[in-house]
Amino acid sequence: MNAAAPPIFMFVGHSGSGKTAVVEKLLTELTARGLRPATIKHAHHKVTLDKEGKDSWRYKKAGAVMSMLVTSNELQIVADAVDRREPAQLAERFLGEADLVLVEGFSLIPGDKIEILRRECGKPPRCPVEAGLIALVTDMDEVYPQLPHFALDDIAGLASFLLDRMPR
């Protein structure tokens, strides 16, 4: 199923809607089906990815375009993303091994979006259909009835929907 740029599905919704929980459960389901999913998460706040004075920070400061830290069972990449910040650009650059990429956030970027919408949040949908919305994970059947709806706990159904949309 692997390709140079894996298919990307963006999970959008208001803060507290459950985006991370849905993506986390979906990762478990997709992995159980033999896939290798990757994730990209957008943070609205500043996050320190590397600490001043540490080796990878020093390498970047000295001019490296990318620095990789490798341990016995993990790796971390620190790279400039000034001109390539959109999910498709990031997936092509860094996630070629993945079968698909689940993205949290980036609601304003073009692409296939699944919105997590809970009645208890008391907010309208974040994305219109025209913005690439392809499905909802929701307990609100009345919202965008023309789109596929998945119950908040129907992770298997959502996984099958995503797999059906992937190139063969």
Side-chain angles (χ1 to χ4, degrees):
M1 282 194 167
N2 199 342
I8 296 168
F9 299 100
M10 291 182 261
F11 289 81
V12 300
H14 296 284
S15 180
S17 62
K19 296 180 299 292
T20 301
V22 168
V23 169
E24 183 179 22
K25 291 174 187 171
L26 195 50
L27 288 166
T28 301
E29 177 71 22
L30 293 168
T31 301
R33 293 185 187 202
L35 292 153
R36 295 173 306 167
T39 62
I40 298 172
K41 180 176 171 83
H42 183 256
H44 292 284
H45 55 282
K46 184 161 177 54
V47 176
T48 303
L49 299 178
D50 198 15
K51 294 185 178 167
E52 185 173 341
K54 297 302 260 178
D55 293 351
S56 54
W57 179 89
R58 291 171 57 194
Y59 297 151
K60 291 282 296 133
K61 185 139 176 87
V65 295
M66 186 182 313
S67 179
M68 184 181 298
L69 171 64
V70 181
T71 68
S72 60
N73 60 351
E74 295 179 315
L75 65 85
Q76 175 184 348
I77 296 173
V78 178
D80 293 330
V82 176
D83 62 339
R84 293 184 273 180
R85 300 176 88 88
E86 293 188 10
Q89 296 165 328
L90 295 168
E92 184 176 354
R93 184 174 179 194
F94 298 113
L95 303 176
E97 291 181 20
D99 294 317
L100 74 161
V101 180
L102 307 181
V103 175
E104 184 178 334
F106 293 95
S107 61
L108 301 177
I109 302 296
D112 289 344
K113 296 179 181 73
I114 297 94
E115 181 155 353
I116 316 304
L117 186 65
R118 294 175 182 266
R119 190 175 304 282
E120 71 183 58
C121 289
K123 295 185 179 176
R126 184 173 178 93
C127 288
V129 175
E130 303 78 37
L133 197 61
I134 60 170
L136 291 126
V137 176
T138 187
D139 55 0
M140 300 171 68
D141 293 338
E142 69 276 12
V143 177
Y144 300 134
Q146 71 274 31
L147 293 178
H149 282 66
F150 297 91
L152 297 165
D153 61 353
D154 185 12
I155 301 303
L158 180 59
S160 294
F161 173 77
L162 298 181
L163 294 176
D164 286 345
R165 291 189 64 92
M166 288 176 56
R168 301 275 170 205

PDB file of all heavy atoms in Angstrom, residues 7-12 85-89 103 105-114 127-134:
ATOM      1  N   PRO A   7      -1.538   8.678   1.488  1.00  0.00           N
ATOM      2  CA  PRO A   7      -2.787   9.428   1.592  1.00  0.00           C
ATOM      3  C   PRO A   7      -2.913  10.078   2.969  1.00  0.00           C
ATOM      4  O   PRO A   7      -2.438   9.541   3.972  1.00  0.00           O
ATOM      5  CB  PRO A   7      -3.881   8.389   1.384  1.00  0.00           C
ATOM      6  CG  PRO A   7      -3.212   7.085   1.223  1.00  0.00           C
ATOM      7  CD  PRO A   7      -1.738   7.265   1.286  1.00  0.00           C
ATOM      8  N   ILE A   8      -3.555  11.233   2.974  1.00  0.00           N
ATOM      9  CA  ILE A   8      -3.669  12.034   4.192  1.00  0.00           C
ATOM     10  C   ILE A   8      -5.136  12.260   4.522  1.00  0.00           C
ATOM     11  O   ILE A   8      -5.930  12.615   3.649  1.00  0.00           O
ATOM     12  CB  ILE A   8      -2.976  13.389   3.998  1.00  0.00           C
ATOM     13  CG1 ILE A   8      -1.482  13.174   3.774  1.00  0.00           C
ATOM     14  CG2 ILE A   8      -3.223  14.317   5.186  1.00  0.00           C
ATOM     15  CD1 ILE A   8      -0.762  14.405   3.290  1.00  0.00           C
ATOM     16  N   PHE A   9      -5.488  12.065   5.782  1.00  0.00           N
ATOM     17  CA  PHE A   9      -6.830  12.349   6.284  1.00  0.00           C
ATOM     18  C   PHE A   9      -6.689  13.261   7.491  1.00  0.00           C
ATOM     19  O   PHE A   9      -5.995  12.924   8.453  1.00  0.00           O
ATOM     20  CB  PHE A   9      -7.553  11.062   6.666  1.00  0.00           C
ATOM     21  CG  PHE A   9      -7.737  10.127   5.504  1.00  0.00           C
ATOM     22  CD1 PHE A   9      -6.889   9.051   5.326  1.00  0.00           C
ATOM     23  CD2 PHE A   9      -8.738  10.350   4.576  1.00  0.00           C
ATOM     24  CE1 PHE A   9      -7.044   8.197   4.249  1.00  0.00           C
ATOM     25  CE2 PHE A   9      -8.899   9.494   3.489  1.00  0.00           C
ATOM     26  CZ  PHE A   9      -8.049   8.417   3.326  1.00  0.00           C
ATOM     27  N   MET A  10      -7.339  14.429   7.423  1.00  0.00           N
ATOM     28  CA  MET A  10      -7.249  15.419   8.490  1.00  0.00           C
ATOM     29  C   MET A  10      -8.451  15.296   9.421  1.00  0.00           C
ATOM     30  O   MET A  10      -9.589  15.250   8.963  1.00  0.00           O
ATOM     31  CB  MET A  10      -7.173  16.821   7.902  1.00  0.00           C
ATOM     32  CG  MET A  10      -5.866  17.062   7.181  1.00  0.00           C
ATOM     33  SD  MET A  10      -5.740  18.732   6.527  1.00  0.00           S
ATOM     34  CE  MET A  10      -6.200  18.412   4.840  1.00  0.00           C
ATOM     35  N   PHE A  11      -8.176  15.278  10.704  1.00  0.00           N
ATOM     36  CA  PHE A  11      -9.218  15.225  11.724  1.00  0.00           C
ATOM     37  C   PHE A  11      -9.306  16.595  12.363  1.00  0.00           C
ATOM     38  O   PHE A  11      -8.333  17.091  12.937  1.00  0.00           O
ATOM     39  CB  PHE A  11      -8.905  14.128  12.746  1.00  0.00           C
ATOM     40  CG  PHE A  11      -9.075  12.770  12.147  1.00  0.00           C
ATOM     41  CD1 PHE A  11      -8.079  12.211  11.365  1.00  0.00           C
ATOM     42  CD2 PHE A  11     -10.261  12.083  12.303  1.00  0.00           C
ATOM     43  CE1 PHE A  11      -8.245  10.983  10.755  1.00  0.00           C
ATOM     44  CE2 PHE A  11     -10.444  10.836  11.703  1.00  0.00           C
ATOM     45  CZ  PHE A  11      -9.428  10.290  10.924  1.00  0.00           C
ATOM     46  N   VAL A  12     -10.462  17.210  12.205  1.00  0.00           N
ATOM     47  CA  VAL A  12     -10.656  18.579  12.657  1.00  0.00           C
ATOM     48  C   VAL A  12     -11.819  18.627  13.639  1.00  0.00           C
ATOM     49  O   VAL A  12     -12.635  17.716  13.707  1.00  0.00           O
ATOM     50  CB  VAL A  12     -10.906  19.533  11.468  1.00  0.00           C
ATOM     51  CG1 VAL A  12      -9.727  19.518  10.506  1.00  0.00           C
ATOM     52  CG2 VAL A  12     -12.194  19.176  10.737  1.00  0.00           C
ATOM     53  N   ARG A  85       5.131  23.488   5.488  1.00  0.00           N
ATOM     54  CA  ARG A  85       4.412  23.244   6.730  1.00  0.00           C
ATOM     55  C   ARG A  85       3.088  22.530   6.546  1.00  0.00           C
ATOM     56  O   ARG A  85       2.461  22.138   7.512  1.00  0.00           O
ATOM     57  CB  ARG A  85       4.135  24.565   7.429  1.00  0.00           C
ATOM     58  CG  ARG A  85       5.358  25.349   7.788  1.00  0.00           C
ATOM     59  CD  ARG A  85       4.950  26.680   8.378  1.00  0.00           C
ATOM     60  NE  ARG A  85       4.756  26.601   9.797  1.00  0.00           N
ATOM     61  CZ  ARG A  85       5.712  26.773  10.694  1.00  0.00           C
ATOM     62  NH1 ARG A  85       6.925  27.035  10.303  1.00  0.00           N
ATOM     63  NH2 ARG A  85       5.453  26.691  11.970  1.00  0.00           N
ATOM     64  N   GLU A  86       2.617  22.385   5.328  1.00  0.00           N
ATOM     65  CA  GLU A  86       1.329  21.759   5.098  1.00  0.00           C
ATOM     66  C   GLU A  86       1.466  20.239   5.194  1.00  0.00           C
ATOM     67  O   GLU A  86       2.520  19.684   4.880  1.00  0.00           O
ATOM     68  CB  GLU A  86       0.762  22.178   3.753  1.00  0.00           C
ATOM     69  CG  GLU A  86       0.414  23.653   3.731  1.00  0.00           C
ATOM     70  CD  GLU A  86      -0.330  24.075   2.488  1.00  0.00           C
ATOM     71  OE1 GLU A  86      -0.757  23.204   1.702  1.00  0.00           O
ATOM     72  OE2 GLU A  86      -0.488  25.289   2.308  1.00  0.00           O
ATOM     73  N   PRO A  87       0.393  19.554   5.619  1.00  0.00           N
ATOM     74  CA  PRO A  87       0.487  18.104   5.817  1.00  0.00           C
ATOM     75  C   PRO A  87       1.016  17.336   4.604  1.00  0.00           C
ATOM     76  O   PRO A  87       1.839  16.443   4.762  1.00  0.00           O
ATOM     77  CB  PRO A  87      -0.954  17.706   6.143  1.00  0.00           C
ATOM     78  CG  PRO A  87      -1.525  18.924   6.783  1.00  0.00           C
ATOM     79  CD  PRO A  87      -0.906  20.079   6.052  1.00  0.00           C
ATOM     80  N   ALA A  88       0.584  17.671   3.398  1.00  0.00           N
ATOM     81  CA  ALA A  88       1.058  16.935   2.221  1.00  0.00           C
ATOM     82  C   ALA A  88       2.559  17.121   2.032  1.00  0.00           C
ATOM     83  O   ALA A  88       3.272  16.165   1.705  1.00  0.00           O
ATOM     84  CB  ALA A  88       0.306  17.398   0.973  1.00  0.00           C
ATOM     85  N   GLN A  89       3.046  18.323   2.258  1.00  0.00           N
ATOM     86  CA  GLN A  89       4.485  18.584   2.124  1.00  0.00           C
ATOM     87  C   GLN A  89       5.267  17.839   3.193  1.00  0.00           C
ATOM     88  O   GLN A  89       6.329  17.260   2.917  1.00  0.00           O
ATOM     89  CB  GLN A  89       4.749  20.082   2.228  1.00  0.00           C
ATOM     90  CG  GLN A  89       4.126  20.888   1.102  1.00  0.00           C
ATOM     91  CD  GLN A  89       4.083  22.366   1.430  1.00  0.00           C
ATOM     92  OE1 GLN A  89       3.955  22.770   2.584  1.00  0.00           O
ATOM     93  NE2 GLN A  89       4.179  23.183   0.395  1.00  0.00           N
ATOM     94  N   VAL A 103      -3.874  13.269  10.333  1.00  0.00           N
ATOM     95  CA  VAL A 103      -3.459  14.610  10.720  1.00  0.00           C
ATOM     96  C   VAL A 103      -4.490  15.181  11.685  1.00  0.00           C
ATOM     97  O   VAL A 103      -5.689  15.106  11.426  1.00  0.00           O
ATOM     98  CB  VAL A 103      -3.348  15.522   9.472  1.00  0.00           C
ATOM     99  CG1 VAL A 103      -3.037  16.947   9.860  1.00  0.00           C
ATOM    100  CG2 VAL A 103      -2.297  14.975   8.513  1.00  0.00           C
ATOM    101  N   GLY A 105      -5.833  18.591  13.229  1.00  0.00           N
ATOM    102  CA  GLY A 105      -5.780  20.029  13.055  1.00  0.00           C
ATOM    103  C   GLY A 105      -5.655  20.416  11.596  1.00  0.00           C
ATOM    104  O   GLY A 105      -6.103  19.688  10.718  1.00  0.00           O
ATOM    105  N   PHE A 106      -5.061  21.566  11.338  1.00  0.00           N
ATOM    106  CA  PHE A 106      -4.900  22.089   9.981  1.00  0.00           C
ATOM    107  C   PHE A 106      -6.255  22.267   9.292  1.00  0.00           C
ATOM    108  O   PHE A 106      -6.407  21.984   8.109  1.00  0.00           O
ATOM    109  CB  PHE A 106      -4.010  21.173   9.124  1.00  0.00           C
ATOM    110  CG  PHE A 106      -2.575  21.104   9.536  1.00  0.00           C
ATOM    111  CD1 PHE A 106      -2.126  20.103  10.376  1.00  0.00           C
ATOM    112  CD2 PHE A 106      -1.667  22.045   9.070  1.00  0.00           C
ATOM    113  CE1 PHE A 106      -0.789  20.024  10.751  1.00  0.00           C
ATOM    114  CE2 PHE A 106      -0.330  21.968   9.433  1.00  0.00           C
ATOM    115  CZ  PHE A 106       0.106  20.963  10.282  1.00  0.00           C
ATOM    116  N   SER A 107      -7.250  22.752  10.011  1.00  0.00           N
ATOM    117  CA  SER A 107      -8.599  22.840   9.448  1.00  0.00           C
ATOM    118  C   SER A 107      -8.707  23.790   8.263  1.00  0.00           C
ATOM    119  O   SER A 107      -9.640  23.682   7.475  1.00  0.00           O
ATOM    120  CB  SER A 107      -9.595  23.238  10.532  1.00  0.00           C
ATOM    121  OG  SER A 107      -9.269  24.498  11.073  1.00  0.00           O
ATOM    122  N   LEU A 108      -7.762  24.708   8.091  1.00  0.00           N
ATOM    123  CA  LEU A 108      -7.825  25.661   6.995  1.00  0.00           C
ATOM    124  C   LEU A 108      -7.068  25.213   5.747  1.00  0.00           C
ATOM    125  O   LEU A 108      -7.122  25.862   4.715  1.00  0.00           O
ATOM    126  CB  LEU A 108      -7.295  27.025   7.452  1.00  0.00           C
ATOM    127  CG  LEU A 108      -8.048  27.654   8.629  1.00  0.00           C
ATOM    128  CD1 LEU A 108      -7.394  28.969   9.038  1.00  0.00           C
ATOM    129  CD2 LEU A 108      -9.511  27.849   8.306  1.00  0.00           C
ATOM    130  N   ILE A 109      -6.359  24.100   5.824  1.00  0.00           N
ATOM    131  CA  ILE A 109      -5.566  23.584   4.706  1.00  0.00           C
ATOM    132  C   ILE A 109      -6.465  22.701   3.834  1.00  0.00           C
ATOM    133  O   ILE A 109      -7.253  21.914   4.345  1.00  0.00           O
ATOM    134  CB  ILE A 109      -4.366  22.756   5.244  1.00  0.00           C
ATOM    135  CG1 ILE A 109      -3.491  23.598   6.159  1.00  0.00           C
ATOM    136  CG2 ILE A 109      -3.570  22.128   4.120  1.00  0.00           C
ATOM    137  CD1 ILE A 109      -2.820  24.765   5.492  1.00  0.00           C
ATOM    138  N   PRO A 110      -6.339  22.795   2.497  1.00  0.00           N
ATOM    139  CA  PRO A 110      -7.143  21.921   1.635  1.00  0.00           C
ATOM    140  C   PRO A 110      -6.814  20.450   1.859  1.00  0.00           C
ATOM    141  O   PRO A 110      -5.668  20.094   2.134  1.00  0.00           O
ATOM    142  CB  PRO A 110      -6.728  22.346   0.217  1.00  0.00           C
ATOM    143  CG  PRO A 110      -6.079  23.672   0.368  1.00  0.00           C
ATOM    144  CD  PRO A 110      -5.506  23.726   1.744  1.00  0.00           C
ATOM    145  N   GLY A 111      -7.813  19.605   1.740  1.00  0.00           N
ATOM    146  CA  GLY A 111      -7.622  18.170   1.877  1.00  0.00           C
ATOM    147  C   GLY A 111      -8.844  17.505   2.451  1.00  0.00           C
ATOM    148  O   GLY A 111      -9.802  18.171   2.857  1.00  0.00           O
ATOM    149  N   ASP A 112      -8.807  16.169   2.477  1.00  0.00           N
ATOM    150  CA  ASP A 112      -9.918  15.388   3.026  1.00  0.00           C
ATOM    151  C   ASP A 112      -9.976  15.544   4.534  1.00  0.00           C
ATOM    152  O   ASP A 112      -9.001  15.251   5.237  1.00  0.00           O
ATOM    153  CB  ASP A 112      -9.751  13.912   2.674  1.00  0.00           C
ATOM    154  CG  ASP A 112      -9.988  13.630   1.204  1.00  0.00           C
ATOM    155  OD1 ASP A 112     -10.569  14.492   0.509  1.00  0.00           O
ATOM    156  OD2 ASP A 112      -9.603  12.537   0.753  1.00  0.00           O
ATOM    157  N   LYS A 113     -11.136  15.984   5.027  1.00  0.00           N
ATOM    158  CA  LYS A 113     -11.303  16.236   6.458  1.00  0.00           C
ATOM    159  C   LYS A 113     -12.444  15.417   7.033  1.00  0.00           C
ATOM    160  O   LYS A 113     -13.482  15.248   6.398  1.00  0.00           O
ATOM    161  CB  LYS A 113     -11.589  17.716   6.696  1.00  0.00           C
ATOM    162  CG  LYS A 113     -10.462  18.634   6.314  1.00  0.00           C
ATOM    163  CD  LYS A 113     -10.849  20.088   6.558  1.00  0.00           C
ATOM    164  CE  LYS A 113      -9.745  21.014   6.147  1.00  0.00           C
ATOM    165  NZ  LYS A 113      -9.612  21.126   4.684  1.00  0.00           N
ATOM    166  N   ILE A 114     -12.231  14.932   8.241  1.00  0.00           N
ATOM    167  CA  ILE A 114     -13.255  14.270   9.031  1.00  0.00           C
ATOM    168  C   ILE A 114     -13.411  15.125  10.287  1.00  0.00           C
ATOM    169  O   ILE A 114     -12.429  15.350  11.006  1.00  0.00           O
ATOM    170  CB  ILE A 114     -12.857  12.819   9.412  1.00  0.00           C
ATOM    171  CG1 ILE A 114     -12.695  11.955   8.152  1.00  0.00           C
ATOM    172  CG2 ILE A 114     -13.894  12.210  10.340  1.00  0.00           C
ATOM    173  CD1 ILE A 114     -11.310  11.869   7.644  1.00  0.00           C
ATOM    174  N   CYS A 127     -15.974  23.079  10.041  1.00  0.00           N
ATOM    175  CA  CYS A 127     -15.697  23.112   8.600  1.00  0.00           C
ATOM    176  C   CYS A 127     -16.967  22.949   7.783  1.00  0.00           C
ATOM    177  O   CYS A 127     -17.789  22.103   8.102  1.00  0.00           O
ATOM    178  CB  CYS A 127     -14.752  21.978   8.217  1.00  0.00           C
ATOM    179  SG  CYS A 127     -13.078  22.216   8.773  1.00  0.00           S
ATOM    180  N   PRO A 128     -17.080  23.712   6.695  1.00  0.00           N
ATOM    181  CA  PRO A 128     -18.170  23.467   5.758  1.00  0.00           C
ATOM    182  C   PRO A 128     -17.792  22.321   4.817  1.00  0.00           C
ATOM    183  O   PRO A 128     -16.611  21.973   4.678  1.00  0.00           O
ATOM    184  CB  PRO A 128     -18.278  24.788   4.996  1.00  0.00           C
ATOM    185  CG  PRO A 128     -16.912  25.359   5.053  1.00  0.00           C
ATOM    186  CD  PRO A 128     -16.314  24.917   6.360  1.00  0.00           C
ATOM    187  N   VAL A 129     -18.768  21.745   4.182  1.00  0.00           N
ATOM    188  CA  VAL A 129     -18.520  20.654   3.233  1.00  0.00           C
ATOM    189  C   VAL A 129     -17.548  21.104   2.150  1.00  0.00           C
ATOM    190  O   VAL A 129     -16.650  20.354   1.752  1.00  0.00           O
ATOM    191  CB  VAL A 129     -19.857  20.170   2.616  1.00  0.00           C
ATOM    192  CG1 VAL A 129     -19.608  19.134   1.536  1.00  0.00           C
ATOM    193  CG2 VAL A 129     -20.762  19.608   3.697  1.00  0.00           C
ATOM    194  N   GLU A 130     -17.683  22.352   1.699  1.00  0.00           N
ATOM    195  CA  GLU A 130     -16.834  22.873   0.619  1.00  0.00           C
ATOM    196  C   GLU A 130     -15.355  22.925   0.996  1.00  0.00           C
ATOM    197  O   GLU A 130     -14.500  23.070   0.123  1.00  0.00           O
ATOM    198  CB  GLU A 130     -17.281  24.289   0.217  1.00  0.00           C
ATOM    199  CG  GLU A 130     -18.718  24.395  -0.225  1.00  0.00           C
ATOM    200  CD  GLU A 130     -19.709  24.406   0.934  1.00  0.00           C
ATOM    201  OE1 GLU A 130     -19.424  24.991   1.999  1.00  0.00           O
ATOM    202  OE2 GLU A 130     -20.778  23.799   0.777  1.00  0.00           O
ATOM    203  N   ALA A 131     -15.035  22.838   2.263  1.00  0.00           N
ATOM    204  CA  ALA A 131     -13.638  22.902   2.715  1.00  0.00           C
ATOM    205  C   ALA A 131     -12.970  21.531   2.707  1.00  0.00           C
ATOM    206  O   ALA A 131     -11.882  21.374   3.240  1.00  0.00           O
ATOM    207  CB  ALA A 131     -13.568  23.504   4.112  1.00  0.00           C
ATOM    208  N   GLY A 132     -13.618  20.542   2.100  1.00  0.00           N
ATOM    209  CA  GLY A 132     -13.022  19.210   2.018  1.00  0.00           C
ATOM    210  C   GLY A 132     -13.584  18.217   3.008  1.00  0.00           C
ATOM    211  O   GLY A 132     -13.062  17.111   3.132  1.00  0.00           O
ATOM    212  N   LEU A 133     -14.640  18.578   3.705  1.00  0.00           N
ATOM    213  CA  LEU A 133     -15.239  17.678   4.690  1.00  0.00           C
ATOM    214  C   LEU A 133     -15.824  16.466   3.987  1.00  0.00           C
ATOM    215  O   LEU A 133     -16.633  16.605   3.065  1.00  0.00           O
ATOM    216  CB  LEU A 133     -16.316  18.429   5.480  1.00  0.00           C
ATOM    217  CG  LEU A 133     -16.772  17.823   6.789  1.00  0.00           C
ATOM    218  CD1 LEU A 133     -15.612  17.709   7.779  1.00  0.00           C
ATOM    219  CD2 LEU A 133     -17.890  18.663   7.397  1.00  0.00           C
ATOM    220  N   ILE A 134     -15.391  15.262   4.393  1.00  0.00           N
ATOM    221  CA  ILE A 134     -15.852  14.036   3.741  1.00  0.00           C
ATOM    222  C   ILE A 134     -16.691  13.162   4.666  1.00  0.00           C
ATOM    223  O   ILE A 134     -17.369  12.248   4.196  1.00  0.00           O
ATOM    224  CB  ILE A 134     -14.675  13.220   3.169  1.00  0.00           C
ATOM    225  CG1 ILE A 134     -13.695  12.820   4.263  1.00  0.00           C
ATOM    226  CG2 ILE A 134     -13.991  13.989   2.040  1.00  0.00           C
ATOM    227  CD1 ILE A 134     -12.630  11.815   3.843  1.00  0.00           C
TER     228      ILE A 134
END
